[in-house]
Amino acid sequence: MTYLAKPKFRHPDIEINELGFSHRDYEGSISTLCAGCGHDSISSAIMRACFELSLPPHRIAKLSGIGCSSKTPTYFLGQSHGFNSVHGRMPSVLTGANLANRELIYLGVSGDGDSASIGFGQFAHAIRRAVNMLYIVENNGVYGLTKGQFSATSDKGSKSKKGIDNPDSPIDLVSIAMQLGATFVARSFSGDKDQLVPLIKAGLEHQGAAFIDVISPCIAFNNHQGSTKSFDYVRAHNAELNTLDFITSQAPIGVDYPEGAAQDVRLHDGSTIRLRKLSADYDVHDRGAAMDHIYRLGRSGEIATGLIFIDDEPSDMHARLGTAKKPLNALADRDIVPGSAALAKINAGLR
Amino acid sequence: MPIESVNDFVIRFANVNGSGSASANLLFARSVMRMGVPIAPRNIFPSNIQGLPTWYEVRVTEAGHLGARGGLDMMVAMNPQTWDKDIASIDPGGYLFYDSSRPIPPSKFRDDIVVLGMPLTDIVNRTYTDPRQRQLFKNIIYVGALAALLDIAIEEVEKLIGEQFKGKDKLIAPNLKALHIGYDYARDHFACPIGLRVRRADKIGDRIFVEGNAAAGLGAVYGGATVCAWYPITPSTSLAEAFETYCKRLRVDPETAEKRYAIVQAEDELASIGMVVGAAWNGARAFTATSGPGISLMQEFLGLAYFAEIPAVLFDVQRGGPSTGMPTRTQQSDLLIAAYAAHGDTKHVLLFPRDPGEAFEFGALSFDLADRLQTPIFVMLDLDIGMNQHLCPPFQWDDARALDRGKVMTYEELESGRDFGRYLDVDGDGIPFRTYPGTHPTRGSFFTRGSTRDRYARYTEEGAPYVDNMERLLRKFDTAKTLVPPAILARAAKPTRLGVIHYGSTGPSMDEALQILSARGVHVDALRVRGFPFGPEVTDFIAGHDLVFVVEQNRDAQMRTLLMVECGIDPAQLVPVLHFDGTPITARFIAKAIAEKATSIRPPQQREVLS
Ligand SMILES: Cc1ncc(C[n+]2csc(CCOP(=O)(O)OP(=O)(O)O)c2C)c(N)n1
Ligand code: SF4
Ligand SMILES: [Mg+2]
């Protein structure tokens, strides 16, 4: 048996959200990934974020490519429709799905091989088209599923498990996403749930192309000494730009920060992200400065994490295309089939 | 002897690409139609934008033969670069009309043709000062001259000019002036009319004149397509563009200006088909338009769509392959790559429209089939159908017709507790139910994947559920046989043991070839295949004949291969007739090949036909 259903029982004083759902309602089947794989922590963070936002699971569509990371949608949100597409092509499938029904919430999950190598082009084009989605790359610097080859996000000089130094320049998907106009860009670490959960919540709420690069160590093939994507390395080099509290309009939180140390970012639905700045002069609204900042940090071997950039007035693909508010997949025949009278006119024009 | 022929000749215009000749040539073609005489025009153009040769050919055919004829009765030679080749292409006794402003040495002519020189450049240089006007009106002037030479009623051309420039009325007078300069010059200097003549007839009826790509794009509108994702490639580009044009006219909300469609020019064909798959998975009707190279790129996704059972419509406007091949020439050479697209055991549904009329009809139908069968549907056009205007019966639509969305389980059905297994064959036709994402809070969700799973869409690597699923897909393919448009039989005048199978754009030439053959006493029953998988009428037809010619426009006899493989036909019984130089197949070619082979090939002694 290769499919494992989780037993369902509910503890009497279990935490319940606004929809009356418990955490269990956001679970999927049991993970078959290696124990300790960073990807599993990201799945937990996704479930937590959806639970805290009280999102109805069936209104989320989760799409992925191929890889260990791309397998994970099976392991969360069991009531959501899921789509494991082909290697590197999740972005186009998600784009098409979004075209068909603009009302669902789209979560794209991918790996660094899936998005930075075979699917680099599709990643880029989905971002520049401003598809309304949250796109998460579970970035371990290797191909986990095919057993440990370098991926395109692997840092120059990072050592493989077999002791070989990576000779090539890395692709930084965050920088690329910034350049291509993503309106929400963040980086986080699978081991930092406190940072990751609010980022996922904010990304899901964002009404445009939201991208989160999550460093997610591969226990099996890229967690050794000399790797720049190991748990130890990431912990030692994590340069947090800010920490976040995600404040829904219904439940404001009362933490106070000293003047200048906090910044509130309002979201379209009335909720707020309160950023606690760790880097005093960092402004999440300044795309150019943000790109410069993460470039410099990257050069010094640091990994910038936190909310990197947000545009408070994002546009999305549908706004650009001018598509109907009603989802295209819900239009009735009469809305889309012009009928015989219109055809007679067309015929007349062709004589 | 100069050729004498009324309402039955071929005239070709040799032009320089980008010189504005296209609209003048179309004006000429339409004026013949206004005389009530059917025409079959064809563009012959290279893969360049400006400054290179292009030809436009008009077959004038009162008998209504709409295939290419072959041969040439009159050449309008407006391109010095291609002069030698153009002169050589004229049939003996034919006519040459050319610009005689610059002297051309006598050796450059032929003495077995009628030469009609008119100093077009001199005339426009005298009459106009603006270089662009000189160029444009030179074209209109030769249309005027041709009207006189071929006895086309000048009022008909005048009327067309009036219609063409309606709204830009100040252009009418100068165009009429140019037209008359040509007309009068020809009347004054040549014995008009020449041996080729257009005589009023009443053979057009209510037929329309339209390109196949425009018809297919319109078919997609009527078929309810709301998502189009495409990547430009000749000869399919104008299909996506036509879809957009018709959508702007028919699918924009007059009050809100909201669009009831979405068109994305994707970054490549992988993304195009990916978007189509994503949109169709999510319940919208979606399509892409492409040609051979695009189909090559889409293979992996087509396997996913086949295996995960996602509707998709692909318009493949075929051109000459392999590789970049002959990008601006026609062929029917994508059959096999489309029929078996992707790795592993796959089979796909193909439709073969004959002309723009069927391009519209099958274009609309393909979306019903895709939803009903939950699989990719290929509409196999080609450059000849797609990029040339053809006379065809008017488009028809039955307002009582509802879009067939296939087996989609609704919220109410799920709520009532109806069992949902995404890959469960509940009706025995191999077609399972699906749900659109987001339908029900707790029922009907499933995971779509290209890897193996059981009837309830649960991942498994076990052999038995895999085999179960693959066999069901075959049952579904059997169901497709009953849904694709059936083949059409045309019986010969006399009982015969000879048959011919053809498809797609070969149709018009085939019909004409059958007439030629029957006049020579060679009787052949003809079957026009319109869909794949083949229905029983195809195997019955082959079983009912000793020899069956399979006429196609590719080198490797791809339809014949499909027939052999899918129907288990003895190869000796299927005789290939192949035309693949990139030009449209002609009746002359088909008739000659069949007449020769009918006498030289002996039918196999024993036949075995599996259905
Ligand atoms: C077309 C194609 N080529 C190759 C593969 C094999 N393959 C599967 S996953 C993978 C790499 C996945 O790497 P990544 O996206 O980083 O995921 P990870 O396993 O590291 O999470 C490859 C090369 C494939 N599935 N499809
Ligand atoms: S191989 Fe690496 S990425 Fe894949 S499941 Fe194991 S630890 Fe995770
Ligand atoms: Mg990886």
Side-chain angles (χ1 to χ4, degrees), chain B residues 38 91 144 172-174 190 250 311 331 335 346 407 410 414 425 524 574:
Chain B
D91 285 357
I172 295 176
F190 308 120
L250 301 164
Q331 256 183 12
L335 264 65
T346 59
K407 298 189 191 178
T410 61
L414 291 165
D425 184 4
V524 191
L574 298 176

Side-chain angles (χ1 to χ4, degrees), chain B residues 86-103:
Chain B
D86 291 339
I87 304 305
S89 65
I90 304 168
D91 285 357
Y95 301 80
L96 166 69
F97 179 88
Y98 78 107
D99 181 358
S100 59
S101 306
R102 287 225 255 131

Side-chain angles (χ1 to χ4, degrees), chain A residues 184-258:
Chain A
F184 177 103
V185 182
R187 177 152 39 221
S188 192
F189 172 43
S190 62
D192 187 353
K193 209 166 187 169
D194 290 344
Q195 186 192 50
L196 183 55
V197 172
L199 281 175
I200 293 174
K201 285 164 73 177
L204 285 167
E205 291 285 295
H206 184 75
Q207 298 297 303
F211 172 64
I212 310 179
D213 179 32
V214 188
I215 314 289
S216 174
C218 169
I219 291 294
F221 300 109
N222 206 13
N223 197 34
H224 46 270
Q225 266 252 303
S227 158
T228 60
K229 297 271 192 299
S230 67
F231 277 107
D232 289 347
Y233 186 93
V234 178
R235 283 209 183 92
H237 295 83
N238 189 347
E240 272 189 278
L241 300 171
N242 39 44
T243 62
L244 299 88
D245 291 311
F246 190 88
I247 314 162
T248 60
S249 42
Q250 290 88 350
I253 58 161
V255 190
D256 283 327
Y257 298 105

Side-chain angles (χ1 to χ4, degrees), chain A residues 32-39 68-69 140 142-145 147 216-222:
Chain A
T32 58
L33 301 185
C34 306
C37 173
H39 300 348
C68 296
S69 36
N140 53 15
V142 285
Y143 293 0
L145 195 61
K147 301 194 188 301
S216 174
C218 169
I219 291 294
F221 300 109
N222 206 13

